[in-house]
């Protein structure tokens, strides 16, 4: 089994680690675009072109499925990616986990990039899936870039700024950018009030990994022998995990699993 994941940068790490935990025997292909990142400020047409190039670099290795480990690329490029690769290679997008976060009502916050916050796309998801919950959209300027570069101080500043915009009594928090899952515990600490029940964080990595398994008809086998390989593609060139990736538990997990193979 071979699963490919794509993103502009290291936002694909949470989903890649989730796949690795489900299937330690799966070969992983991580295809990113350090030459063209960040994708967020690009026009939809430009972003789609970059995403197609990254996807085709991964597709050349004939994976069984491709995970788009990026919310922005899913919004703008998913139809083009599916048109180019399916049905030969199933393409799985990443959508913010608004529906599970809103189940049970109460106050919900959605942390996302400034471009996504307030966008018709996100507002449509809230309309369709918030199920009556009280939702606050929280823009997080600079957070994805700080995570991408492994800048701990910049991450902390961005997290604290977003926490100040988040209702104190929020019950659930949606991580609306895949990069944010890499610093989930920092986010949890920043929004948690000592006198209130634990805030539940909702990322997408686990659900996306499980959906990839379903699309190819594979069952989870977390006890399988850790025989899966790791291939890293950087703007079309074979390379290594970026140094910033190894600052996060997910990156270290992937490297350790590949080294142990």
């Amino acid at each position: 089994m071979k699963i490919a994941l794509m993103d502009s940068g290291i936002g694909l790490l949470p989903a890649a680690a989730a796949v690795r935990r489900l299937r330690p025997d799966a070969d992983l292909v991580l295809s990113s675009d350090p030459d063209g990142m960040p994708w967020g400020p690009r026009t939809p047409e430009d972003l789609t072109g970059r995403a197609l190039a990254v996807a085709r670099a991964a597709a050349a290795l004939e994976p069984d499925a491709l995970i788009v480990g990026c919310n922005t690329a899913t919004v703008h490029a998913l139809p083009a990616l599916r048109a180019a690769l399916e049905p030969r290679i199933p393409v799985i997008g990443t959508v913010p986990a608004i529906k599970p976060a809103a189940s049970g009502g109460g106050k919900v916050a959605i942390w996302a990039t400034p471009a996504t916050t307030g966008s018709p796309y996100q507002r449509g998801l809230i309309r369709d899936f918030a199920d009556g919950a009280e939702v606050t959209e929280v823009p997080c300027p600079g957070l994805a870039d700080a995570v991408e570069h492994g800048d701990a101080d910049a991450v902390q500043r961005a997290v604290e700024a977003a926490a100040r915009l988040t209702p104190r009594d929020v019950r659930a928090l949606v991580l609306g950018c895949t990069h944010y899952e890499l610093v989930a515990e920092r986010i949890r600490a920043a929004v948690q009030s000592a006198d209130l029940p634990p805030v539940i964080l909702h990322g997408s990595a686990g659900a996306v990994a499980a959906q990839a398994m379903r699309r190819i008809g594979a069952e989870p086998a977390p006890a399988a022998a850790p025989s899966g390989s790791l291939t890293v593609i950087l703007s079309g060139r074979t390379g290594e995990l970026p140094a910033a990736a190894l600052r996060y538990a997910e990156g270290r997990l992937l490297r350790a699993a590949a080294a142990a193979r």
Side-chain angles (χ1 to χ4, degrees):
M1 182 193 307
K2 182 184 293 182
I3 305 295
L5 301 97
M6 60 168 285
D7 183 24
S8 61
I10 64 173
L12 49 68
L13 290 178
V19 172
R20 177 62 80 220
R21 294 185 188 101
L22 287 178
R23 291 297 300 249
D25 58 339
D27 295 332
L28 298 183
V29 177
L30 310 187
S31 185
S32 62
D33 187 27
D35 293 356
M37 63 174 300
W39 284 353
R42 293 181 177 275
T43 65
E45 295 77 16
D46 191 15
L47 186 155
T48 297
R50 304 292 310 192
L52 282 168
V54 168
R56 286 174 174 138
L61 299 182
E62 301 184 346
D64 297 295
L66 172 68
I67 292 172
V68 184
C70 174
N71 296 88
T72 303
T74 297
V75 172
H76 296 294
L78 188 61
L81 293 169
R82 285 180 166 162
L85 300 180
E86 291 188 341
R88 182 170 63 91
I89 301 173
V91 180
I92 297 92
T94 299
V95 177
I98 294 173
K99 186 174 183 179
S103 64
K107 291 186 177 181
V108 175
I110 304 174
W111 284 27
T113 63
T116 299
T117 301
S119 66
Y121 167 74
Q122 184 160 288
R123 292 283 168 85
L125 292 175
I126 293 170
R127 181 188 63 245
D128 294 342
F129 299 115
D131 195 27
E134 183 179 339
V135 177
T136 300
E137 296 180 87
V138 179
C140 304
L143 181 53
D145 285 344
V147 173
E148 177 69 32
H149 294 100
D151 187 334
D153 291 339
V155 166
Q156 193 61 32
R157 290 193 296 271
V159 166
E160 290 173 354
R164 289 193 289 271
L165 301 176
T166 303
R168 179 179 176 275
D169 55 346
V170 71
R171 179 189 61 79
L173 192 152
V174 178
L175 302 173
C177 171
T178 54
H179 280 76
Y180 301 172
E181 296 189 49
L182 295 170
V183 292
E185 291 311 311
R186 285 197 179 208
I187 293 172
R188 189 192 310 277
V191 299
Q192 183 64 56
S193 297
D195 58 334
L196 293 174
V199 177
I200 302 172
L201 269 56
H202 292 267
S204 303
V208 167
Q211 176 66 2
M213 295 293 105
R214 287 192 290 269
R215 285 291 302 274
I216 64 175
E219 293 293 330
S227 57
S229 65
L230 179 68
T231 302
V232 177
I233 305 173
L234 306 173
S235 296
R237 307 176 300 272
T238 301
E240 303 291 335
L241 279 174
L246 303 179
R247 299 187 182 185
Y248 303 104
E250 292 85 348
R252 294 191 295 272
L253 168 67
L254 294 169
R255 183 180 67 171
R261 180 174 177 265

